[in-house]
Amino acid sequence: MMTIGEKGCQFIERYCLIPEGNKVGQPLKLLDLQRKFVLDVYDNPAGTSRAYLSVAKKNGKSD
């Protein structure tokens, strides 16, 4: 049985598309850091209700 976080990651990679750039229209593939963030937010005993992830510009987010 999949966890809520795993279902969220699966949803993102199945239905979210890259909106602009040289890979426009291709399915979004989560990086390990992003996948871990989603799992940490949704699959924890504390029941997180809100979370923010901030990444500085020019930090290798787009290849």
Side-chain angles (χ1 to χ4, degrees), residues 1 6 11 15 19-20 33 44 52 54 56 58:
M1 183 172 197
E6 291 168 337
F11 176 88
Y15 296 108
E20 59 186 41
L33 166 82
N44 71 72
Y52 298 96
S54 178
K58 304 286 185 182

Side-chain angles (χ1 to χ4, degrees), residues 12 15 48 62:
I12 291 167
Y15 296 108
T48 305
S62 59

Side-chain angles (χ1 to χ4, degrees), residues 42-62:
Y42 288 102
D43 297 340
N44 71 72
T48 305
S49 62
R50 187 176 301 154
Y52 298 96
L53 175 62
S54 178
V55 181
K57 285 185 176 183
K58 304 286 185 182
N59 202 18
K61 295 182 298 293
S62 59

Side-chain angles (χ1 to χ4, degrees), residues 4-56:
I4 294 172
E6 291 168 337
K7 288 179 183 179
C9 291
Q10 185 180 46
F11 176 88
I12 291 167
E13 291 184 338
R14 182 175 291 168
Y15 296 108
C16 294
L17 303 176
I18 297 173
E20 59 186 41
N22 61 350
K23 295 183 181 182
V24 67
Q26 293 183 15
L28 194 134
K29 176 72 173 133
L30 293 174
L31 300 172
D32 291 339
L33 166 82
Q34 295 165 324
R35 179 176 299 282
K36 181 179 180 333
F37 179 76
V38 171
L39 295 175
D40 287 346
V41 170
Y42 288 102
D43 297 340
N44 71 72
T48 305
S49 62
R50 187 176 301 154
Y52 298 96
L53 175 62
S54 178
V55 181

